[in-house]
């Protein structure tokens, strides 16, 4: 890195990719807590579904701990309009449905959202 | 794995349930079974979807059709018409009144999250920690650029001082002052170290930062290197954190590749390099002098201070040591300014603190709150209260070196000074919530077991003193304590505090002193009445069968691993107290709730 201009160029490119205007961003909490709760198979299922459906507009990525341990594995989906949905206690089966329903059909899986997880009886 | 053709969601919120939603759910299950559709369909109960005035609500995916005011008689029609024939049942559609926007869909709408202020954790859960580009996208390395290209080391130190940031590793020393001491120290070589040992049991703040945002620590250490005139840094992290280590390694390699570590950073002639050192997970190695001894390749034992690390640290050279979370705040402070940072927090303690909240609390997890937030807010609003309708009894803050805050002080604002006044301390971020079923003597014993175990053995007050205190606590919880034991504990505690070589021994008595301060009655009950009020200490309680409630089913006798429950048909069973090992298996399994704890 020789100059701030160079840094700013990387910033611009990365921002364009992250909040690109016609794609989904899907983040799986993969810190120790998420992985212990089963985030790896969830990530793999998401990757598999995205590949099988040949979805080119999805940026699937790992991320760190968001803090809600008891709701892990957590998956966040940010749609092309920047709307954020957090899915809680996701397993591979739920992950497959999130791709099919939310990303392909644009319908949020209401019953998997964090709100549903919090209001469900323990 | 089953992929279902359709999902039927039945709202399970309170309002819907009061209108038969449970029966509707059961009816769907029955109908699906009857029509042999189990392989294709699944019925799920969902939390409240906030259409209470129109409940009970049923949603069918994938079409997303929402049926409202569903009655049990409607289920057959929904199944045969919608599911089997594919025709929407128009008369049950809710029309335009249905609005799903009010349903909580994302984490940032939840109380647990809304009350937090995320500075140290700003990127955790936001960026991909294995991508330097994503860190840069969110202003990463801008602070370093600003420092290297436009500030003097003195100016950097001034900003950190003015921000009011204090060490987050436990001792709470003002960070800027520490940087200044190190900058002023004379030496041909200086070092910058990061304490990522995180030994407090149950705490994982630092791990989360390293796993979620490793570049923030690397950037901050490089800034520190510039401020104190050092070209070499070490991150001391416990080997039990393999994911943190892996991501740190990736991040360091990326930073080197981008020329953000190494020689001539930003073309300014400033050089800085970083290496990882793995610790084997000894609590004492989190103590600053022991940590540096360990980095030197020797047995991790503390050495006397002074000289302080700022003067003679690693390899006897001036060394700056800060905690992971302290560092993670630095880039934000540099970019947004000291005023911004000091506007957050309480009058005397600035910024935020990350806590690992655990124990008897609904929302366990990691929270970053402005310093000065009350314990009540943390427990009841962010934490969601105590599960199972139990009462909040106390919180242990600061782990084995800290103290407890009883329910009577739940309104205390969590900051460095107020906690010290209560005999506790901010600590590094462990926060364990306890309910009425916790025995405070047992709690003190738990922490003393830990410190006695982790004592490195170099100085006698800690090596022998923690052992003696533990023996006394053991005696008390066994019901063999005497009135003098409390005096002995207090004398020992006070002497160890002033004579131990390092903070481990000096703070080891804290859990005892603070539980004695607030829960002396529990100690007395163990000693005088031979009673453990919480029913935790096994020597002081018995499992007893209530003869009137016992139906002589014999289940208790069968599950008892000690074979000490006897009885026969029509005669109540009895536990042989001399053989009982107090595992509680009988009480758990008794279908008639006839077994109770006699504390
Ligand atoms: C027994 C003992 C264990 C400690 N463990 C840690 C630790 O795990 N992490 C940490 O940052 N500080 C720990 N400390 C505090 C360090 O000695 C030191 O004060 C701190 O790392 C300085 O960084 P700060 O000023 O940024 O807080 C420990 C202290 C003692 C006495």
């Amino acid at each position: 890195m020789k100059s701030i201009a160079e840094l700013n160029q990387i910033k611009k490119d990365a921002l364009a990719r992250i909040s690109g205007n016609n794609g989904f961003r899907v983040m799986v909490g993969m810190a120790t807590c998420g992985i212990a709760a089963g985030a790896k198979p969830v990530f793999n299922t998401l990757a598999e579904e995205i590949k099988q459906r040949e979805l080119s507009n999805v940026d699937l990525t790992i991320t760190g701990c968001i803090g809600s341990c008891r709701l892990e594995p957590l998956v966040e989906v940010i749609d092309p309009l920047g709307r954020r949905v957090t899915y809680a206690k996701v397993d591979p089966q739920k992950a497959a449905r999130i791709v099919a329903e939310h990303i392909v059909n644009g319908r949020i899986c209401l019953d998997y959202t964090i709100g549903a997880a919090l209001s469900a009886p323990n | 794995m089953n992929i279902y053709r359709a999902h039927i969601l039945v709202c399970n919120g309170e309002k819907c349930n009061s209108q038969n939603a449970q029966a509707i759910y059961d009816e769907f299950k029955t109908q699906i079974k009857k029509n042999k559709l189990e392989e294709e369909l699944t019925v799920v109960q969902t939390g409240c979807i906030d259409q209470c005035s129109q409940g009970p609500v049923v949603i069918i995916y994938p079409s997303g059709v929402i049926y409202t005011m569903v009655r049990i008689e409607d289920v057959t029609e929904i199944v045969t018409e919608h599911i089997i024939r594919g025709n929407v049942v128009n008369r049950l559609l809710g029309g335009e009144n249905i609005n799903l926007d009010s349903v909580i869909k994302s984490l940032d709408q939840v109380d647990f999250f809304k009350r937090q202020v995320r500075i140290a954790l700003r990127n955790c859960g936001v960026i991909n920690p294995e991508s330097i580009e994503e860190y840069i996208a969110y202003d990463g390395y801008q602070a370093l650029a600003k420092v290297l290209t436009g500030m003097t080391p003195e100016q950097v130190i001034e900003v950190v001082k003015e921000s009011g940031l204090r060490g987050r590793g436990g001792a709470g020393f003002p960070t800027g002052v520490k940087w200044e001491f190190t900058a002023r120290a004379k030496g041909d070589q200086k070092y910058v170290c990061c304490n990522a040992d995180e030994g407090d049991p149950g705490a994982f703040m630092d791990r989360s930062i390293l796993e979620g945002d490793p570049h923030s620590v690397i950037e901050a250490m490089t800034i520190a290197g510039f401020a104190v005139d050092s070209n070499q840094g070490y991150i001391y992290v416990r080997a039990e954190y393999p994911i943190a280590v892996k991501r740190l390694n990736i991040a360091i390699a990326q930073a080197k590749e981008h020329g953000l570590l190494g020689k001539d950073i930003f073309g300014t002639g400033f050089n800085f390099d970083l290496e990882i050192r793995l610790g084997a997970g000894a609590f004492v190695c989190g103590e600053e002098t022991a940590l540096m001894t360990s980095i030197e390749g020797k047995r991790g034992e503390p050495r006397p201070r002074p000289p302080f690390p700022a003067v003679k640290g690693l390899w006897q050279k001036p060394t700056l040591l800060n905690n992971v979370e302290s560092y993670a705040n630095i880039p934000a402070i540099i970019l947004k300014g000291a005023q911004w940072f000091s506007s957050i927090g309480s009058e005397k303690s600035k910024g935020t603190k990350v806590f690992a909240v655990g124990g008897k609390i609904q929302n366990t997890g990691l929270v970053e709150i402005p310093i000065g937030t009350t314990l009540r807010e943390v427990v009841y609003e962010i934490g969601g209260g105590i599960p199972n309708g139990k009462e909040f009894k106390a919180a242990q803050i600061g782990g084995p070196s800290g103290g407890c805050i009883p329910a009577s002080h739940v309104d205390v604002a969590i900051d460095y000074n107020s906690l010290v006044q209560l005999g506790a301390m901010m600590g590094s971020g462990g926060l364990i919530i306890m309910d009425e079923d916790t025995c405070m003597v047992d709690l003190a014993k738990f922490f003393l077991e830990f410190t006695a175990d982790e004592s490195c053995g170099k100085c006698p007050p800690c090596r022998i003193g923690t052992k003696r205190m533990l023996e006394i606590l053991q005696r008390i919880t066994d019901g063999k304590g005497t009135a003098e034991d409390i005096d002995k504990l207090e004398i020992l505690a006070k002497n160890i505090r002033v004579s131990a070589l390092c903070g481990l021994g000096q703070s080891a008595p804290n859990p005892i002193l603070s539980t004695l301060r607030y829960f002396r009655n529990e100690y007395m009950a163990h000693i005088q009445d031979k009673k453990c009020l919480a029913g935790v200490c096994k020597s002081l309680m018995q499992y007893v069968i209530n003869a009137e409630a016992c139906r002589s089913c014999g289940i208790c006798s069968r599950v008892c691993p000690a074979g000490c429950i006897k009885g026969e048909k029509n005669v109540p069973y009895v536990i042989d107290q001399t053989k009982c090992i107090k595992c509680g298996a009988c009480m758990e399994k008794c279908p008639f709730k006839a077994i109770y704890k006699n504390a």
Side-chain angles (χ1 to χ4, degrees):
Chain A
M1 194 71 57
K2 287 289 164 243
S3 67
I4 299 182
E6 202 182 322
L7 184 70
N8 285 337
Q9 187 59 45
I10 298 177
K11 176 175 173 180
K12 211 172 127 204
D13 295 345
L15 265 182
R17 186 179 59 74
I18 295 171
S19 49
N21 32 21
N22 50 14
F24 281 87
R25 183 165 158 95
V26 180
M27 297 189 289
V28 185
M30 295 262 270
T32 294
C33 42
I35 292 173
K40 265 188 185 159
V42 167
F43 185 91
N44 293 342
T45 306
L46 290 168
E48 186 62 21
E49 288 288 318
I50 290 166
K51 198 173 135 208
Q52 275 187 0
R53 291 164 185 274
E54 296 179 4
L55 303 174
S56 56
N57 64 337
V58 185
D59 175 23
L60 173 67
T61 177
I62 64 166
T63 189
C65 161
I66 198 76
S68 280
C69 307
R70 81 180 170 102
L71 300 173
E72 298 275 7
L74 285 163
V75 173
E76 282 216 292
V77 177
I78 302 169
D79 73 8
L81 297 175
R83 291 177 302 197
R84 183 179 286 266
V85 175
T86 313
Y87 293 111
K89 295 189 181 179
V90 180
D91 58 23
Q93 191 164 323
K94 292 181 182 177
R97 209 185 114 203
I98 289 168
V99 175
E101 297 271 331
H102 189 159
I103 296 175
V104 177
N105 288 324
R107 264 192 302 267
I108 296 169
C109 303
L110 281 178
D111 50 328
Y112 300 162
T113 59
I114 188 161
L118 286 173
S119 66
N122 277 336
Chain B
M1 194 175 84
N2 263 339
I3 304 271
Y4 295 109
R5 174 169 72 84
H7 289 70
I8 302 171
L9 317 184
V10 183
C11 180
N12 191 29
E14 215 172 300
K15 194 83 190 286
C16 286
N17 260 343
S18 71
Q19 300 183 50
N20 233 4
Q22 181 65 41
I24 291 171
Y25 168 79
D26 294 338
E27 181 63 16
F28 268 112
K29 284 247 173 206
T30 318
Q31 297 261 348
I32 292 211
K33 208 158 175 188
K34 207 167 86 193
N35 289 295
K36 299 206 168 36
L37 291 167
E38 301 110 300
E39 298 275 294
E40 294 174 53
L41 289 178
T42 168
V43 192
V44 209
Q45 287 183 307
T46 85
C48 178
I49 51 177
D50 220 6
Q51 306 300 323
C52 303
S53 61
Q54 311 220 47
V57 178
V58 173
I59 308 181
I60 317 274
Y61 281 108
S63 54
V65 168
I66 302 172
Y67 292 126
T68 55
M69 297 193 210
V70 176
R71 286 165 307 144
I72 196 153
E73 303 86 73
D74 301 328
V75 173
T76 315
E77 190 177 346
I78 295 176
V79 172
T80 47
E81 281 303 314
H82 187 142
I83 304 288
I84 298 177
R85 301 205 180 106
N87 301 323
V88 173
V89 184
N90 284 319
R91 67 176 182 86
L92 293 173
L93 291 179
E96 277 148 24
N97 294 338
I98 287 289
N99 172 11
L100 293 177
D101 287 350
S102 56
V103 183
I104 290 186
K105 297 189 207 78
S106 70
L107 192 59
D108 42 20
Q109 298 172 304
V110 176
D111 267 348
F112 172 78
F113 209 80
K114 274 197 299 208
R115 296 190 158 260
Q116 298 190 42
V117 174
R118 291 166 80 93
I119 300 173
L121 299 178
R122 62 193 177 279
N123 286 328
C124 289
V126 177
I127 64 166
N128 176 352
E130 295 182 6
S131 158
I132 192 172
E133 286 84 9
E134 292 205 4
Y135 179 69
I136 291 173
Y138 288 87
D139 291 336
Y141 291 105
Q142 295 282 344
L144 179 63
K146 180 172 172 182
V147 162
L148 291 188
T149 60
M151 292 171 80
T152 64
E154 294 73 28
Q155 285 171 330
V156 176
I157 290 170
E158 202 46 43
V159 172
V160 178
K161 269 169 79 178
E162 256 178 51
S163 74
L165 175 67
R166 293 171 65 167
R168 302 297 192 234
F173 193 81
T175 305
V177 176
K178 201 189 262 188
W179 287 29
E180 189 167 50
F181 285 162
T182 319
R184 282 195 191 152
K186 298 259 174 311
D188 50 345
Q189 172 72 54
K190 294 182 190 178
Y191 297 106
V192 170
C193 292
C194 173
N195 190 340
D197 191 57
E198 198 161 52
D200 176 357
F204 55 95
M205 305 75 54
D206 297 343
R207 187 189 73 202
S208 284
I209 292 173
L210 294 177
E211 290 180 349
D213 193 19
H215 283 286
S216 67
V217 175
I218 296 172
E219 182 179 5
M221 289 180 72
T222 315
I223 293 171
F226 174 75
V228 306
D229 189 22
S230 160
N231 61 4
Q232 178 65 47
Y234 293 95
I235 303 178
Y236 187 85
V237 49
R238 55 175 51 216
E240 285 138 318
Y241 283 179
I243 299 170
V245 173
K246 176 184 153 212
R247 295 198 180 146
L248 263 178
N249 271 319
I250 294 174
I252 290 174
Q254 289 172 339
K256 285 184 178 165
E257 203 178 298
H258 282 77
L260 291 161
L261 277 177
K263 297 238 177 305
D264 195 22
I265 303 169
F266 284 111
T268 59
F270 175 67
N271 309 328
F272 192 74
D273 228 321
L274 209 49
E275 280 175 41
I276 296 178
R277 286 290 180 274
L278 298 187
F283 182 52
V284 73
C285 286
E287 193 282 330
E288 56 186 21
T289 60
L291 181 146
M292 289 183 291
T293 313
S294 177
I295 294 181
E296 290 167 6
K298 298 180 214 136
R299 186 188 176 108
E301 285 180 345
R303 38 197 202 219
R305 295 181 314 174
F308 287 95
V311 180
K312 275 188 179 170
L314 194 55
W315 291 296
Q316 301 296 312
K317 305 290 183 192
T319 302
L320 174 73
L321 175 74
N322 280 126
N323 161 267
V324 172
E325 185 187 334
S326 311
Y327 279 128
N329 280 294
I330 295 288
I333 291 173
I334 298 288
L335 277 187
K336 297 191 179 176
Q339 265 68 37
W340 163 78
F341 190 79
S342 63
S343 69
I344 301 161
S346 68
E347 172 117 22
K348 290 216 173 103
S349 313
K350 303 305 182 189
T352 58
K353 179 77 195 87
V354 183
F355 287 99
V357 186
K360 300 294 167 60
I361 184 129
Q362 195 71 28
N363 302 330
T364 54
L366 213 59
V367 301
E368 180 168 357
I369 48 171
I371 297 181
T373 305
T374 66
L375 181 60
R376 180 187 295 283
E377 286 173 81
V378 175
V379 173
Y380 293 100
E381 288 165 34
I382 299 172
I386 315 295
N388 306 319
K390 300 271 181 176
E391 288 288 317
F392 168 62
K393 180 170 183 175
Q396 175 76 16
I397 187 163
S401 316
C404 66
I405 306 171
S408 55
H409 286 290
V410 72
D411 285 308
V412 64
I414 300 175
D415 80 13
Y416 288 93
N417 309 345
S418 57
L419 292 179
V420 169
Q421 276 168 17
L422 292 183
M425 65 169 204
M426 184 78 103
S428 66
L431 185 62
I432 301 170
I433 309 299
M434 292 164 286
D435 70 4
E436 54 196 282
D437 294 338
T438 312
C439 166
M440 301 308 280
V441 188
D442 183 64
L443 174 86
K445 193 178 83 180
F446 169 83
F447 283 118
L448 255 291
E449 274 168 4
F450 179 81
T451 39
D453 213 37
E454 293 288 343
S455 172
C456 77
K458 182 168 178 175
C459 77
C462 178
R463 181 181 70 236
I464 305 171
T466 52
K467 188 96 175 94
R468 293 291 95 86
M469 290 196 296
L470 177 59
E471 285 165 359
I472 297 174
L473 290 174
Q474 187 64 50
R475 206 150 66 216
I476 296 175
T477 53
D478 281 346
K480 296 182 184 136
T482 61
E484 298 95 78
D485 278 339
I486 293 199
D487 297 335
K488 280 188 195 157
L489 271 181
E490 283 181 328
I491 294 168
L492 266 172
K494 279 171 192 154
N495 286 330
I496 295 169
R497 250 188 179 180
V498 295
S499 58
L501 173 61
C502 85
L504 195 158
Q506 289 157 13
S507 64
N510 288 353
I512 299 180
L513 290 171
S514 100
T515 47
L516 268 174
R517 175 166 169 182
Y518 295 110
F519 298 96
R520 188 174 282 259
N521 63 324
E522 286 191 31
Y523 281 83
M524 296 318 288
H526 282 76
I527 292 170
Q528 287 172 346
D529 315 331
K530 308 295 173 203
K531 271 193 189 314
C532 170
L533 300 172
V536 171
C537 295
K538 288 190 172 165
S539 308
L540 301 179
M541 59 89 148
Q542 294 181 332
Y543 286 95
V544 183
I545 299 179
N546 175 355
E548 269 163 38
C550 176
R551 306 272 191 87
S552 313
C553 68
I555 290 179
C556 55
S557 168
R558 263 173 273 138
V559 299
C560 175
C564 70
I565 310 183
K566 296 264 160 10
E568 51 193 279
K569 260 213 167 101
N570 301 321
V571 183
Y573 277 59
V574 179
I575 301 173
D576 180 349
Q577 298 295 345
T578 60
K579 291 195 194 137
C580 174
I581 57 166
K582 302 186 183 163
C583 66
C586 54
M587 183 165 109
E588 204 175 288
K589 288 284 150 61
C590 175
F592 309 107
K593 301 212 184 317
I595 304 180
Y596 62 98
K597 266 197 220 174
N598 195 356

